Amino acid sequence: MPVNLDRVTGLVVDILQRINRPVPYSLDRLETYWGKNIHEIFPTPPDTPQTRNRKRWKLGRTRSDDIQFSSTYTPLDPVFSEQYKHQYEECHTVFAKRIRPPGSEGRPRLIYIHGYMQPETPLEETVLVAGLARALKMEIIQVQPPHHGRRKPRSSLYDGEYFWSSDIVRSVESVRQTVWDTQHLLQGLLEEDDRPVGIMGLSLGGTIAAILACIEPRFSFALPLIAHMDLAAVTQDAPVLTRMRRELKEFGWKLHRFSQLLASWGWYDLRPQVGTDHILMLAAKQDRFFPAPKVEAMWSEWEQPTIRWYPTSHMGFIPLLPLALREIRKFLLQRYGHH
């Protein structure tokens, strides 16, 4: 029987997470969120960000610049709001890497969000993301989620430790801030010019991309890769969240309560504001993070946009990215043509 990389990854991460610091108990503060409507959970930023741009590198005719701006996100929970001000200062600044290949002038642009615990290495930027930009002849802006990369708090042992954990208040606020910051970035890009902007995410980034496709009508296309948007199901299924499940059980919290919390916002009634013909889903048949039946359920609820299945696991999808890139390129060329 072949080894499932998802299971192995879960075992390795569980060992790593055993050295984590104790997670703050916040379940008694969830009343702050209960029954809010989706627009209260994800309000639209009211203004355009004041960005600072800095050159990062240039390889041939491909260049990378930093876009930086102050996050104007405000937590809903008053206790976490104080924690955010004093314990998570690194999250107060948004960082996005803008990669512009030759031939991208006048072409649509793409905001990309990476996965959970991804550290954003130079190799990923110069090979994977820059290679994607060159292949698509498209400007790609990789936005950094809070608690990752340069936004990782000094007290955090590794990227994403504070993003999704049994501190449900902090976890919900992490998703809220990622969505807010990405919408704020989108406003800045559209202020520059009116070229179409799409959203793409991988794994947990794909979940964020799916959420944004449902609440942000200004995105022109959406590419959620190996993901669905049911946060409660992710918490229940993902092999890397064993510690979270164990601690929630110790706290006396049943996972079905997470589904009920999401339902109270109208989560399960969300549908894309991006047209079905402008959505491409890529999925893995043996995925243990985002199991195929749940991805297929979202696909059906979304009125069956284009979907491409790969005979692999979640982690096994990574080596297949060159194949996925061909699918993405074909999809975008059919809709936006050659430069």
Side-chain angles (χ1 to χ4, degrees):
M1 184 176 182
V3 175
N4 187 288
L5 290 176
D6 296 356
R7 185 186 295 275
V8 173
T9 302
L11 292 172
V12 171
V13 170
D14 188 45
I15 293 170
L16 173 66
Q17 290 179 341
R18 289 179 186 274
I19 63 173
N20 284 12
R21 292 169 176 79
V23 176
Y25 181 85
S26 62
L27 296 174
D28 55 343
R29 306 203 311 271
L30 287 181
E31 285 302 318
T32 302
Y33 306 93
W34 209 271
K36 292 277 193 299
N37 67 50
I38 205 69
H39 302 293
E40 292 174 297
I41 297 297
F42 297 120
T44 302
D47 56 3
T48 302
Q50 300 298 309
T51 61
R52 303 179 297 280
N53 299 283
R54 181 178 63 86
K55 181 179 177 180
R56 290 177 54 79
W57 50 260
K58 188 173 182 181
L59 295 174
R61 295 170 59 199
T62 300
R63 61 175 292 167
S64 173
D65 300 293
D66 250 345
I67 301 174
Q68 298 181 27
F69 56 93
S70 296
S71 178
T72 56
Y73 142 85
T74 302
L76 283 175
D77 177 67
V79 174
F80 182 78
S81 186
E82 287 302 307
Q83 294 173 346
Y84 174 75
K85 287 178 188 175
H86 303 296
Q87 298 178 28
Y88 306 121
E89 294 95 334
E90 292 84 356
C91 295
H92 297 178
T93 302
V94 183
F95 296 95
K97 304 168 187 172
R98 188 206 305 249
I99 298 179
R100 286 183 277 194
S104 62
E105 301 82 4
R107 296 273 295 155
R109 295 162 291 175
L110 180 61
I111 293 177
Y112 168 63
I113 306 173
H114 64 63
Y116 173 60
M117 295 178 65
Q118 195 166 325
E120 296 191 25
T121 64
L123 183 64
E124 178 207 17
E125 180 184 359
T126 56
V127 176
L128 177 62
V129 183
L132 178 65
R134 286 192 293 267
L136 299 178
K137 289 190 176 180
M138 188 174 288
E139 181 180 310
I140 294 183
I141 304 95
Q142 182 180 22
V143 63
Q144 205 163 54
H147 306 295
H148 289 80
R150 285 174 284 178
R151 307 183 76 185
K152 180 174 77 69
R154 287 185 294 275
S155 59
S156 177
L157 296 176
Y158 53 84
D159 293 82
E161 178 187 356
Y162 295 163
F163 190 94
W164 201 250
S165 71
S166 56
D167 182 348
I168 299 295
V169 166
R170 185 175 62 194
S171 299
V172 167
E173 293 291 356
S174 295
V175 172
R176 291 188 67 243
Q177 183 173 13
T178 307
V179 170
W180 175 278
D181 291 342
T182 305
Q183 287 184 285
H184 214 190
L185 173 63
L186 174 65
Q187 289 182 187
L189 294 175
L190 294 175
E191 184 74 16
E192 288 180 356
D193 63 61
D194 60 359
R195 283 183 291 158
V197 180
I199 181 69
M200 180 174 82
L202 178 72
S203 189
L204 185 61
T207 296
I208 302 295
I211 295 168
L212 283 160
C214 291
I215 67 170
E216 178 49 77
R218 293 172 295 178
F219 278 116
S220 297
F221 56 95
L223 309 168
L225 311 185
I226 50 170
H228 56 65
M229 61 180 286
D230 188 343
L231 291 167
V234 175
T235 302
Q236 180 172 331
D237 296 327
V240 294
L241 297 178
T242 300
R243 174 178 171 168
M244 180 180 182
R245 289 188 290 271
R246 184 166 57 241
E247 290 177 337
L248 287 175
K249 185 177 181 180
E250 291 170 359
F251 291 159
W253 205 59
K254 306 292 186 182
L255 285 175
H256 76 269
R257 292 291 287 162
F258 204 165
S259 297
Q260 291 172 340
L261 177 63
L262 295 175
S264 78
W265 304 342
W267 190 270
Y268 297 106
D269 297 322
L270 285 173
R271 297 295 181 269
Q273 300 202 43
V274 178
T276 303
D277 61 339
H278 278 65
I279 298 172
L280 171 64
M281 296 173 60
L282 303 184
K285 283 286 188 182
Q286 286 85 48
D287 197 328
R288 291 178 182 267
F289 288 72
F290 298 88
K294 292 174 183 175
V295 174
E296 194 163 11
M298 186 179 85
W299 170 77
S300 179
E301 291 163 358
W302 281 20
E303 299 183 358
Q304 302 183 1
T306 303
I307 188 168
R308 172 74 164 85
W309 290 95
Y310 294 85
T312 187
S313 64
H314 189 82
M315 300 305 296
F317 178 82
I318 306 304
L320 300 182
L321 281 173
L323 295 177
L325 174 56
R326 289 185 212 166
E327 201 73 30
I328 293 168
R329 187 170 183 270
K330 175 184 173 184
F331 176 84
L332 293 174
L333 285 175
Q334 288 173 344
R335 284 145 187 85
Y336 296 101
H338 294 272
H339 181 54

